[in-house]
Amino acid sequence: MLRPVIDEQPEARESLDEIMEETQYPHRHAHREILDNAFVLSVVDTEKDILAGYCWFYRLEENTERYSLHLLILPNYRKRFFSRTIVNSVLNLMWILGCNTVVVENTNRELLLRVGGYMNEEDEAFLHLPHEWR
């Protein structure tokens, strides 16, 4: 089973940065400048006790109730990562932390649309919280 885990944030950010470099994450340089502002969740395969990927998000300065969500999924977990349990857990945590709208601006837009998100005029996918993917 894959499970999102809240680790100590400085260490989680450092680990995410290292994995971004190892996997040649396409937007690494843009994130590296602001990673200290991110809330990072490690997603762990609890049966094998190994990392499956990361979810992280930033509170947007222009609207503190809008959060920008990002994913890094390790290759062996690409087909297993996107489950209702993971999605609902992350969305619930974001809502608890004060997020009312999730925004996705890159290649993960399709995933947010799949769970009930919408496109806006700025070519962003967004989802209002609270939301439960059924």
Side-chain angles (χ1 to χ4, degrees):
M1 171 192 276
L2 299 184
R3 180 178 189 165
V5 177
I6 300 173
D7 295 316
E8 293 294 325
Q9 290 302 291
E11 290 83 1
R13 292 179 192 120
E14 185 176 322
S15 177
L16 171 58
D17 186 49
E18 290 170 5
I19 296 294
M20 283 182 176
E21 186 171 357
E22 287 175 24
T23 61
Q24 299 178 344
Y25 186 75
H27 309 288
R28 178 174 179 256
H29 294 291
H31 286 286
R32 188 168 212 193
E33 295 174 9
I34 59 174
L35 204 54
D36 285 343
N37 300 319
F39 190 96
V40 179
L41 297 169
S42 304
V43 180
V44 176
D45 180 336
T46 58
E47 294 165 4
K48 298 179 181 178
D49 196 30
I50 58 174
L51 182 69
Y54 293 94
C55 294
W56 71 99
F57 46 88
Y58 307 98
R59 183 177 310 159
L60 301 179
E61 286 183 7
E62 63 274 10
N63 183 344
T64 59
E65 294 177 353
R66 285 175 54 117
Y67 289 27
S68 178
L69 176 64
H70 304 274
L71 301 172
L72 187 155
I73 306 167
L74 296 177
N76 292 344
Y77 291 93
R78 295 233 163 95
K79 293 185 180 192
R80 295 178 48 205
F81 196 89
F82 195 68
S83 69
R84 282 179 173 80
T85 303
I86 297 285
V87 170
N88 288 332
S89 296
V90 171
L91 293 178
N92 285 334
L93 175 63
M94 293 175 78
W95 188 60
I96 288 168
L97 292 173
C99 177
N100 288 330
T101 306
V102 178
V103 178
V104 177
E105 302 168 329
N106 56 28
T107 55
N108 294 316
R109 286 184 298 216
E110 298 294 324
L111 299 175
L112 195 64
L113 295 174
R114 193 168 133 196
V115 302
Y118 302 93
M119 293 297 293
N120 67 13
E121 303 82 39
E122 290 86 36
D123 205 27
E124 301 168 320
F126 69 96
L127 180 69
H128 295 295
L129 298 182
H131 179 81
E132 184 176 353
W133 183 30
R134 296 176 192 242

